[in-house]
Amino acid sequence: MAAEAATPAELQPRWKRVLGWSGPVPRPRHGHRAVSIKELMVVFGGGNEGIVDELHVYNTATNQWFVPAVRGDVPPGCAAYGFVCDGTRLLVFGGMVEYGKYSSDLYELQASRWEWKHLKAKPPRNGPPPCPRLGHSFSLIGSRCYLFGGLANDSEDPKSNIPRYLNDLYCLQLRPGSGVVGWEVPVASGEAPPPRESHTAVVTSSTAYKFRVAGINICGRGAFSEVSVFKTCLPGFPGVPCAVKISKVRRSGPISRQGVGQ
């Protein structure tokens, strides 16, 4: 007997507030990140009157929070960092570790045993490694992570913040299972998106992998909301990536950056 087709009401997205959980619930925060591993949601870092260094895990199947007993090279707390999940390993790059002080450190968390490891990636052959930053995007495509944009501080004194918005693009080659090979600077053609931070990058796949970048940018011409697409080669096939701007919409009102916990 053929299964009945879903009705439009059944296909419509619906929000539902989750109640009745148990366990140590994370305190309120902002600038944190979360990823999923099967039925688990892993939450790390953020800001709440300072930088939070806690790791919390929520089990969606049992409606329970727990704090795993982590070991290894446990990173300091950070906010507005890059966070990706590759199988059961998680990668953390950059972020704010205290007001005005940004990081370019790379950490790996093996969730199968809750073990942290501080990774050292080889610098690119065609340029410097990524500078310390926050508010960047960090997107996993196959065995590579793509880092784009963010906000740097050009002041040597963290109390004297000199912001510099970024639109650089890096590719981090991963080793299978654990570890990384190194950074690359992709040879890109087309018009690169203007510098930005606190944006979002979404990975899509059709005939080739793509990630789309949207959000705030500061480029000396005012504030914009813009979407750009970056297309990578098919896995296993040589080719030149390209960046193509596909839309631009003018926004109104100034944009400011406040320090975490300020």
Side-chain angles (χ1 to χ4, degrees):
M1 183 176 179
E4 295 183 1
T7 64
E10 293 172 331
L11 296 175
Q12 183 178 3
R14 183 170 66 95
W15 287 101
K16 181 181 179 181
R17 186 174 183 180
V18 179
L19 300 171
W21 60 77
S22 61
V25 179
R27 54 180 166 152
R29 66 193 63 195
H30 59 96
H32 56 286
R33 301 289 185 261
V35 295
S36 64
I37 304 176
K38 297 182 179 180
E39 73 277 7
L40 302 180
M41 179 178 71
V42 182
V43 181
F44 178 66
N48 183 337
E49 297 182 354
I51 304 298
V52 178
D53 61 359
E54 304 160 344
L55 181 74
H56 284 79
V57 182
Y58 174 70
N59 189 317
T60 61
T62 62
N63 198 19
Q64 292 178 313
W65 286 97
F66 66 94
V67 177
V70 296
R71 56 180 178 170
D73 306 322
V74 180
C78 57
Y81 56 91
F83 203 22
V84 299
C85 178
D86 177 29
T88 59
R89 68 169 165 176
L90 287 67
L91 293 167
V92 170
F93 175 77
M96 176 187 284
V97 293
E98 59 184 69
Y99 177 69
K101 183 178 179 181
Y102 309 154
S103 169
S104 59
D105 287 334
L106 178 66
Y107 287 88
E108 175 186 271
L109 175 64
Q110 289 287 348
S112 59
R113 52 185 182 272
W114 301 115
E115 183 174 6
W116 286 102
K117 185 177 181 181
H118 191 192
L119 301 180
K120 297 291 186 180
K122 293 180 180 179
R125 291 174 295 179
N126 56 341
C131 66
R133 66 188 67 199
L134 62 72
H136 47 282
S137 59
F138 199 46
S139 309
L140 178 68
I141 302 179
S143 61
R144 291 177 170 84
C145 288
Y146 287 87
L147 167 68
F148 176 77
L151 177 67
N153 181 6
D154 282 347
S155 173
E156 296 182 359
D157 181 5
K159 296 181 181 179
S160 176
N161 201 351
I162 304 176
R164 176 167 57 94
Y165 293 87
L166 307 168
N167 69 339
D168 49 359
L169 176 67
Y170 286 88
C171 174
L172 178 66
Q173 176 70 48
L174 309 182
R175 295 188 188 277
S178 179
V180 295
V181 178
W183 293 103
E184 302 170 0
V185 178
V187 179
S189 61
E191 183 180 359
R196 64 190 66 198
E197 59 98 12
S198 297
H199 57 279
T200 298
V202 179
V203 177
T204 62
S205 177
S206 52
T207 56
Y209 286 119
K210 302 175 183 178
F211 71 86
R212 299 174 187 270
V213 178
I216 297 170
N217 72 75
I218 304 296
C219 54
R221 297 174 296 169
F224 293 83
S225 176
E226 185 179 79
V227 179
S228 299
V229 60
F230 180 84
K231 181 178 179 182
T232 71
C233 331
L234 278 169
F237 289 84
V240 178
C242 63
V244 182
K245 184 182 294 182
I246 60 176
S247 68
K248 180 187 292 183
V249 181
R250 185 69 184 255
R251 289 173 56 111
S252 60
I255 294 175
S256 63
R257 181 72 198 181
Q258 299 293 329
V260 174
Q262 298 301 305

